[in-house]
């Protein structure tokens, strides 16, 4: 499959411009996928944004990847058993592109993803691209071809490798940017919402606040009771919880993620789950709480997103407590000169010039998007 060199260069330039066009994450991925189709043809795809703190996907969009059955196979099985670890490893190792054929050692039947999802759909050849920045995962895309087509060529893979870091930076910028104004309805809703799911992922109970936050996350298109309209973030928490509490995990409660995701209104929301005790008449149920993220949670997310080192994070936390340079020096057992050096680095990375601006940027921007105008 020959690529037109001029078209390839034009696509590369267009995607780079898109990464700085002020689009939100899902919108950026939709535009990127549309342009990639011209130079790296594919029949199906799945694109997603991710929470860099946990690696879990926050929004997902797919085309020609089957229906609810295939989505359940992916979200409840393949993603947690295979994909999540691979995505994190690719991001950490700065290896942004991999072919399914390479992962399977040239024999697709060795791949659970092929056997359980792609093969039955008539798909076979797939290339996975992770969008990372400084080792943090911000999103990914899987481009897939039918079995009758040829596999992805080295030149196509090379183009995807060139684009991956730009898209990673674009998704990071989109996450950090606060442009949306909170909708009027969201201003009066601050209480947590509670959602209960049965073993099949169906909603059995929910509060009014939970329904509100689910709609703000972009879910419920297919109805709350059916469970098919639940946003990806909810299914991530449910799947991660069941995985963490499975017998093979030795009930490692510390591995249960607390997922942070930005809603359509611009608010940051936190989701976390627990498993109810089984009763004689029913099995355990997943209880998920959705609530507005606390300032310190958004700050931790932002510090990682801006690439602060562990020492720089410590200094930022001390500043949040109102500590002076001298007090920080005593608390961290470093000289005042070293504190000032670290602080200059923090200002440069975050793009601010004062402690007040730093606190606003780390603790409040994107938390209450309409508060500071």
């Amino acid at each position: 499959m020959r690529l037109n060199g001029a078209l390839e260069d034009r696509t590369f330039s267009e995607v780079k411009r898109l990464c700085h066009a002020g689009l939100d994450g899902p919108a950026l991925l939709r535009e990127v996928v549309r342009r990639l189709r011209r130079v790296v043809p594919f029949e199906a795809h799945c694109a997603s944004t991710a929470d860099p703190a946990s690696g879990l996907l926050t929004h997902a969009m797919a085309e020609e990847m089957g229906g609810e059955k295939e989505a359940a196979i992916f979200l409840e099985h393949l993603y947690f058993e295979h994909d999540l670890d691979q995505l994190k490893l690719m991001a950490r190792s700065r290896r942004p592109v991999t072919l399914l054929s390479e992962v399977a050692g040239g024999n697709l039947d060795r791949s659970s993803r092929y056997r359980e999802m792609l093969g039955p759909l008539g798909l076979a050849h797939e290339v996975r691209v992770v969008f990372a920045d400084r080792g943090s995962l911000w999103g990914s895309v899987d481009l897939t071809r039918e079995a009758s087509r040829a596999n992805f060529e080295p030149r196509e893979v090379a183009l995807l490798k060139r684009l991956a870091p730009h898209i990673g930076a674009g998704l990071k910028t989109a996450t950090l940017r606060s442009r949306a104004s909170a909708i009027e309805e969201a201003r009066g809703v601050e209480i947590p919402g509670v959602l209960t799911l049965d073993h099949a992922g169906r909603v059995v109970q929910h509060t009014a606040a939970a329904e509100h936050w689910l709609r703000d996350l972009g879910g419920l298109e297919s109805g709350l009771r059916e469970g098919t309209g639940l946003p990806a973030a909810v299914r991530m928490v449910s799947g991660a919880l069941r995985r963490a509490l499975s017998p093979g995990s030795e009930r490692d409660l510390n591995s249960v993620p607390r997922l942070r995701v930005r809603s359509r209104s611009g608010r940051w929301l936190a989701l976390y789950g627990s498993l109810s005790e089984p009763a004689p008449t029913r099995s355990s149920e997943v209880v998920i709480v959705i609530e507005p993220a606390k300032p310190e949670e958004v700050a931790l997310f932002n510090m990682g997103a801006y690439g602060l080192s562990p020492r720089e994070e410590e200094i930022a936390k001390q500043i949040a407590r109102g500590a002076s340079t001298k007090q920080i020096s005593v608390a961290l057992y470093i000289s005042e000169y070293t504190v000032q050096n670290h602080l200059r680095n923090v200002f440069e990375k975050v793009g601010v010039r004062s402690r007040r601006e730093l606190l606003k940027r780390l603790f409040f921007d994107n938390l209450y998007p309409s508060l500071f105008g």
Side-chain angles (χ1 to χ4, degrees):
M1 184 181 299
R2 294 286 297 173
L3 289 177
N4 183 292
L7 178 60
E8 180 181 347
D9 291 340
R10 185 164 68 250
T11 300
F12 180 78
S13 298
E14 288 180 6
V15 170
K16 282 184 63 178
R17 284 197 298 271
L18 285 170
C19 293
H20 302 281
L23 301 174
D24 62 30
L28 173 58
L29 287 181
R30 281 193 292 270
E31 293 299 319
V32 167
V33 167
R34 187 164 68 86
R35 284 159 176 79
L36 285 179
R37 194 187 294 272
R38 301 180 306 190
V39 291
V40 186
F42 53 88
E43 280 72 50
H45 79 273
C46 179
S48 62
T49 58
D51 171 10
S54 64
L56 297 176
L57 63 86
T58 53
H59 299 280
M61 59 198 81
E63 180 180 307
E64 301 299 328
M65 295 294 288
E68 183 63 22
K69 174 185 175 182
E70 287 74 19
I73 291 174
F74 171 68
L75 291 173
E76 298 169 15
H77 170 47
L78 297 175
Y79 179 80
F80 287 104
E81 292 191 13
H82 305 284
D83 291 20
L84 179 57
D85 289 340
Q86 184 192 45
L87 290 166
K88 288 181 177 180
L89 177 60
M90 290 174 66
R92 289 196 306 269
S93 62
R94 303 325 200 250
R95 185 167 53 90
V97 182
T98 186
L99 292 171
L100 180 62
S101 57
E102 294 177 350
V103 175
N107 181 3
L108 290 177
D109 288 327
R110 295 173 56 186
S111 165
S112 298
R113 183 174 177 83
Y114 172 75
R115 293 195 313 269
E116 299 180 31
M117 190 171 71
L118 300 183
L121 293 173
L123 302 169
H125 311 296
E126 187 169 73
V127 60
R128 168 164 290 169
V129 189
V130 297
F131 306 128
D133 186 86
R134 297 185 181 182
S136 295
L137 179 67
W138 292 93
S140 64
V141 66
D142 296 321
L143 307 179
T144 314
R145 287 176 178 164
E146 294 176 348
S148 59
R149 298 279 296 275
N151 201 357
F152 293 88
E153 295 183 352
R155 188 176 179 186
E156 295 171 312
V157 171
L159 173 62
L160 294 172
K161 286 181 178 178
R162 289 176 61 202
L163 287 170
H166 296 286
I167 300 171
L171 290 176
K172 173 182 174 179
T173 301
T175 303
L176 294 175
R177 185 185 298 109
S178 177
R179 288 292 184 263
S181 294
I183 57 175
E184 291 294 330
E185 182 185 6
R187 292 175 181 168
V189 180
E190 298 296 329
I191 63 174
V194 181
L195 189 69
T196 303
L197 310 177
D198 64 15
H199 69 282
R202 294 184 296 260
V203 177
V204 294
Q205 288 182 323
H206 72 282
T207 63
E211 184 169 352
H212 168 82
W213 294 125
L214 287 171
R215 293 191 185 281
D216 199 19
L217 285 171
L220 306 189
E221 289 85 352
S222 303
L224 184 59
R225 288 295 175 184
E226 290 79 3
T228 56
L230 292 176
V234 172
R235 301 178 76 161
M236 284 291 99
V237 173
S238 175
L241 176 67
R242 292 189 181 279
R243 183 195 191 197
L245 299 181
S246 65
S249 69
E250 298 181 354
R251 300 182 69 85
D252 181 7
L253 296 176
N254 292 326
S255 68
V256 179
R258 182 181 176 95
L259 182 61
R260 289 147 298 195
V261 59
R262 189 181 177 191
S263 68
R264 294 189 300 185
S265 68
R267 291 294 304 271
W268 277 100
L269 302 178
L271 293 83
Y272 57 95
S274 61
L275 204 63
S276 68
E277 290 296 322
T281 57
R282 70 176 187 275
S283 59
S284 296
E285 297 172 329
V286 173
V287 180
I288 296 178
V289 177
I290 309 173
E291 64 181 4
K294 297 176 176 61
E296 58 269 25
E297 290 181 306
V298 177
L300 288 172
F301 180 94
N302 284 341
M303 284 189 279
Y306 282 114
L308 301 191
S309 69
R311 177 62 82 184
E312 290 165 353
E313 288 187 6
E314 289 179 323
I315 290 175
K317 292 174 185 176
Q318 290 287 330
I319 291 174
R321 300 186 184 105
S324 66
T325 298
K326 183 175 182 179
Q327 290 170 328
I328 296 174
S329 171
V330 172
L332 301 183
Y333 302 99
I334 57 179
S335 70
E336 293 183 32
Y337 177 79
T338 302
V339 172
Q340 292 288 2
N341 275 343
H342 282 307
L343 192 54
R344 279 193 292 271
N345 290 336
V346 171
F347 286 172
E348 182 178 351
K349 289 181 178 180
V350 179
V352 298
R353 292 182 291 182
S354 70
R355 296 186 179 206
R356 181 179 180 278
E357 290 180 354
L358 178 67
L359 291 178
K360 175 181 176 295
R361 182 69 55 83
L362 290 181
F363 284 85
F364 297 103
D365 278 4
N366 291 323
L367 183 61
Y368 300 101
S370 62
L371 191 59
F372 295 97

